Amino acid sequence: MNMPDSHQPAILAPAGNRAAFLAALAAGADAVYCGLKSMSARMEAKNFSIDEMAQLTRLAHDRKVKVYVTVNTLLKPDEIDRAGQLIDSLQRYVHPDALIVQDLGVVALARQAGFSGEIHLSTLANVSFPRALGFIARTLAVKRVVVPRELSIDEIKAMAGACPKTMGLETFIHGALCYGVSGRCYWSSYMGGKSGLRGRCVQPCRRRYRQGGRVGQGEKAARVFSCQDFSVDVLVKILGQVKKVLAWKIEGRKKGPHYVYYTVTGYRMLRDQGNDARTKRDALDMLAQSLGREATHYRFLPQRPQKPIDTRRQTASGQFMGKVQGSAKNPSVVVRQALLPGDVLRLGYEDDAGHTICRVTRFVPKKGRYPLNLGGRKTPTPGSPVFLTDRREKALEEMMRDVEAEATAPESIPPSHFKAALPRPLAKSRRPLEVHVRRTPSQATGRKATGIWLSETVAANIGKSVANLSWIWLPPVIWPDDEKRVAGLLRQCLENEARQFVLNTPWQMSLFNRLEGLRLWAGPFCNTANVLCLETLKTLGYSGAFVSPELGEADILTLCRQSPLPLGIVLSGHWPLCISRTLADDMRLRVPFDSPRGEQAWVDQHGPDYWTFPNWRMDITEMRTILQRSGIQMFAHLDEPVPPAVSIKNRPGLWNWKIGLQ
């Protein structure tokens, strides 16, 4: 795929339901991305059935608009055939232009099913440093990579400079920001099995937390992990000069048609007529009226980075309209802008006791008072914020009806009978290795193996006498600005005869010039959860792989029976709730903070990133015998330094072992 001389990036619109899809077409989007009822990383969106997807894709293609289908969930062992059947049906009846995936097992399934469209790697795959791109193009034949939201324009240019001719990049330009790096947040899963990697995040980062009575104002808890929205707005002119960026992506598959229409239209105006001052003002007004959160450029401009967390600002989704006034019996709101019949208001934050939804029944002028008559369902708390979360203007509804009138009738699509071909399992060894992974080098005693997180101290002090016993663990995220440093540390370790490494994205193999004589394991942050992912890791050259610690008992034992590679597992230790590239000004490192439910955690900095840890260890050591009999060949214990102010609680740390990953 050679790049054209004239470069116009496509505007890629989200669609979580039929109305949003129609709004994207009405707004002139160049492409739409959407998910199915299952196997999507936005399971809270309504999403589409196969027959509805086929109908809408035909409609889009008739208008020269591309359709990308997200199959970007983490696949469990028993979901392989079902995912393969979805892809088979997509290939036979829907004909989308691309699949967006995070799991290497889905890449393998797409090949088995003969999928003829492109494969795009989701931002959840955490392709975050330049050298990874060539490796991915050579080994997986992926046509596009969605880069992390955390990258600056200089880092995007660095990624573009390393991007092969056969590959393009996709960048987010607008929408919600997660506190944790995509693919590196386990907070929701750790607290109850609902994984963000499977589209079921319950957003614990949006809640209030208290740290030593100093977060926010006085003793008051604050939303110290809740980010503003990301908006590149007028800076897309700079991004438009990066020719390897083929698409500008708008986040928001849980948003309504108003948001989709306004954001797509605003960015299309900025792309096509951004040099015209009046058009630029109109475009910015469209973005301001899109019903998102207050926006930030985040790290886009490296010389003027903005922190996306400000505890003084509203960070709920929707446009702030005012606060609840009056008595509990007669609550009302004086609105900051006009309301239309059919508008949807949300009263309070979603974790507030009085939180509820109210649909507007009549026109209300700007600064007019609207009674919040909830019919006795709930009593809103006076002073609670009120947000406009969705709007259905008559003009937009008419445009959507005009678009839908062009659609052909949906067809009944027969079920697929696709069955995946699985690799032959490896014969099991009964002698597992035990590794304690630490931040600083510790003197190995006898022939006992040790694990060490890669750092300047480790690279400088690892002795040749113990190098053959040491497993060097690479960080879960490597940023473009940090790639050179990490590669240099690896060279230093190799010169000191280190030969065993645990890599925490599959793409970190690209940092090694040669593989002969090395033992490279895919680490637990590779999020390996199915046998086809394991088979792909084997073809990439991995000697073994850790299973995802998010999995439950049944899934782990199934993988042990199926795996073509030796398997490892994190048996105990301090697993991070998430890893982030930012920290609120109000948060102090290594000082405990409390959740609304009394859970405690702390934040520490390792390298350029901030790691958040709960004050209880994950611990499945009581399952050791079962795991050993099942063939696990490496047990890891993650031994983090615990701050003096943090008290580790004695509570079960089984994570999802019993309840299973949802």
Side-chain angles (χ1 to χ4, degrees):
M1 180 175 64
N2 293 320
M3 303 297 297
D5 292 333
S6 59
H7 176 61
Q8 187 181 55
I11 295 176
L12 179 54
N17 57 44
R18 188 181 188 88
F21 196 106
L22 296 172
L25 298 184
D30 301 293
V32 182
Y33 68 103
C34 44
L36 297 166
K37 294 289 185 182
S38 60
M39 307 298 169
S40 170
R42 281 292 180 271
M43 292 304 295
E44 296 301 320
K46 291 182 180 179
N47 292 324
F48 302 93
S49 63
I50 286 285
D51 52 354
E52 187 178 25
M53 183 75 77
Q55 181 201 31
L56 291 174
T57 299
R58 286 196 300 271
L59 176 62
H61 285 172
D62 287 346
R63 300 171 71 94
K64 310 301 182 186
V65 176
K66 293 184 177 181
V67 176
Y68 306 150
V69 176
T70 59
V71 190
N72 60 340
T73 188
L74 190 72
L75 284 190
K76 298 195 293 184
D78 63 350
E79 296 174 333
I80 288 177
D81 283 340
R82 184 153 58 94
Q85 289 159 8
L86 287 174
I87 296 172
D88 180 54
S89 293
L90 288 170
Q91 169 63 21
R92 290 172 181 268
Y93 306 108
V94 179
H95 312 297
D97 300 277
L99 299 181
I100 304 174
V101 310
Q102 63 156 311
D103 191 318
L104 292 180
V106 180
V107 178
L109 274 177
R111 304 298 182 219
Q112 288 191 24
F115 182 71
S116 58
E118 295 183 349
I119 302 295
H120 298 174
L121 276 186
S122 166
T123 187
L124 287 165
N126 193 245
V127 183
S128 61
F129 61 98
R131 228 186 271 193
L133 296 171
F135 176 79
I136 292 168
R138 290 191 307 272
T139 57
L140 298 177
V142 164
K143 291 297 184 181
R144 187 180 297 180
V145 167
V146 186
V147 299
R149 295 167 175 83
E150 290 84 359
L151 299 190
S152 69
I153 182 60
D154 289 350
E155 291 175 313
I156 293 171
K157 289 178 179 178
M159 297 289 280
C163 196
K165 290 183 178 180
T166 57
M167 180 185 283
L169 302 179
E170 185 172 296
T171 63
F172 283 94
I173 58 168
H174 197 93
L177 277 173
C178 292
Y179 174 74
V181 176
S182 289
R184 297 293 176 264
C185 186
Y186 306 89
W187 205 329
S188 178
S189 174
Y190 201 86
M191 297 297 184
K194 295 184 180 295
S195 173
L197 293 174
R198 289 172 58 78
R200 291 174 169 85
C201 180
V202 298
Q203 297 188 318
C205 60
R206 297 289 181 188
R207 299 170 184 165
R208 294 185 177 93
Y209 295 90
R210 179 183 289 105
Q211 186 184 51
R214 289 186 58 182
V215 175
Q217 300 176 356
E219 295 289 332
K220 189 176 180 181
R223 301 184 188 278
V224 289
F225 300 104
S226 186
C227 293
Q228 299 165 253
D229 275 4
F230 179 55
S231 180
V232 178
D233 52 62
V234 296
L235 300 179
V236 291
K237 182 177 180 180
I238 305 171
L239 186 60
Q241 298 168 5
V242 185
K243 292 188 176 182
K244 275 292 185 179
V245 176
L246 303 184
W248 294 351
K249 189 169 193 170
I250 298 168
E251 186 278 338
R253 281 197 286 136
K254 292 172 64 178
K255 298 286 192 176
H258 175 96
Y259 169 89
V260 172
Y261 182 85
Y262 273 62
T263 53
V264 170
T265 302
Y267 280 106
R268 186 167 53 79
M269 293 165 68
L270 289 171
R271 182 194 63 185
D272 299 342
Q273 301 170 276
N275 292 325
D276 179 76
R278 181 174 179 178
T279 300
K280 186 186 296 185
R281 287 195 302 270
D282 291 344
L284 291 177
D285 184 61
M286 294 288 287
L287 297 180
Q289 298 297 318
S290 66
L291 309 184
R293 299 175 178 87
E294 294 186 44
T296 173
H297 292 150
Y298 194 16
R299 303 177 60 91
F300 188 79
L301 291 179
Q303 68 273 29
R304 293 200 302 274
Q306 298 175 352
K307 287 206 171 182
I309 302 170
D310 186 341
T311 55
R312 297 165 298 179
R313 294 177 179 269
Q314 299 286 353
T315 57
S317 61
Q319 188 169 359
F320 179 67
M321 299 295 288
K323 293 185 177 182
V324 176
Q325 300 179 4
S327 66
K329 291 184 177 180
N330 296 294
S332 62
V333 59
V334 176
V335 294
R336 294 189 172 191
Q337 70 172 50
L339 293 178
L340 305 178
D343 282 355
V344 178
L345 300 178
R346 189 183 68 251
L347 281 55
Y349 282 81
E350 293 178 348
D351 59 342
D352 287 342
H355 160 261
T356 191
I357 300 296
C358 176
R359 189 171 293 277
V360 176
T361 58
R362 61 176 175 81
F363 173 78
V364 182
K366 181 179 179 179
K367 297 184 179 180
R369 184 178 296 276
Y370 184 70
L372 299 170
N373 184 2
L374 305 179
R377 290 181 290 114
K378 284 191 176 181
T379 302
T381 305
S384 294
V386 178
F387 301 94
L388 175 63
T389 60
D390 197 12
R391 162 162 283 176
R392 298 292 178 94
E393 302 99 324
K394 184 178 180 181
L396 177 55
E397 293 283 354
E398 290 175 352
M399 283 188 282
M400 291 161 55
R401 280 195 294 270
D402 290 343
V403 171
E404 189 166 27
E406 302 173 16
T408 58
E411 300 174 4
S412 179
I413 294 176
S416 168
H417 299 288
F418 174 88
K419 191 167 182 62
L422 303 182
R424 180 177 298 177
L426 181 77
K428 303 299 188 295
S429 168
R430 296 287 181 169
R431 300 180 61 185
L433 184 68
E434 195 109 6
V435 176
H436 284 262
V437 187
R438 300 180 173 91
R439 290 288 171 185
T440 56
S442 58
Q443 185 64 40
T445 57
R447 302 296 298 171
K448 189 174 181 180
T450 185
I452 316 171
W453 287 102
L454 180 67
S455 68
E456 283 78 4
T457 302
V458 167
N461 293 290
I462 185 171
K464 293 184 178 181
S465 61
V466 297
N468 64 332
L469 296 175
S470 300
W471 288 83
I472 309 299
W473 283 52
L474 274 64
V477 187
I478 298 174
W479 302 109
D481 289 349
D482 209 34
E483 180 190 283
K484 184 176 180 181
R485 180 186 72 89
V486 173
L489 295 178
L490 285 176
R491 283 195 302 270
Q492 198 172 351
C493 290
L494 290 167
E495 290 169 0
N496 284 324
E497 299 184 4
R499 294 294 180 266
Q500 301 178 135
F501 298 86
V502 175
L503 283 52
N504 276 302
T505 66
W507 342 117
Q508 290 177 353
M509 189 175 279
S510 64
L511 298 172
F512 295 84
N513 293 326
R514 61 177 181 82
L515 303 182
E516 296 82 3
L518 302 181
R519 294 179 69 190
L520 304 181
W521 275 54
F525 290 93
C526 290
N527 301 321
T528 302
N530 62 77
V531 66
L532 289 183
C533 180
L534 287 165
E535 175 68 8
T536 304
L537 291 171
K538 182 179 179 181
T539 64
L540 295 179
Y542 281 92
S543 307
F546 279 78
V547 300
S548 166
E550 286 193 273
L551 294 177
E553 176 184 10
D555 294 327
I556 291 172
L557 298 184
T558 298
L559 276 186
C560 289
R561 291 191 297 270
Q562 295 179 337
S563 180
L565 276 176
L567 293 182
I569 194 168
V570 177
L571 198 63
S572 72
H574 299 284
W575 186 266
L577 297 175
C578 71
I579 296 169
S580 179
R581 207 179 184 184
T582 190
L583 187 72
D585 289 333
D586 296 320
M587 284 297 293
R588 291 172 292 159
L589 295 176
R590 299 175 61 80
V591 175
F593 63 88
D594 296 291
S595 79
R597 299 179 181 178
E599 299 143 336
Q600 196 175 89
W602 80 93
V603 181
D604 208 344
Q605 185 171 10
H606 296 300
D609 297 318
Y610 300 97
W611 297 47
T612 301
F613 295 98
N615 75 329
W616 71 96
R617 293 163 56 92
M618 102 169 252
D619 190 353
I620 56 171
T621 52
E622 64 185 82
M623 313 304 170
R624 179 192 177 94
T625 301
I626 297 173
L627 292 166
Q628 186 168 339
R629 288 174 179 170
S630 299
I632 292 289
Q633 296 181 38
M634 189 184 299
F635 292 118
H637 307 268
L638 306 184
D639 298 334
E640 285 291 324
V642 179
V646 173
S647 176
I648 298 299
K649 185 177 291 186
N650 183 18
R651 61 177 288 179
L654 297 178
W655 199 343
N656 296 327
W657 179 270
K658 290 185 177 179
I659 64 174
L661 176 62
Q662 299 179 42

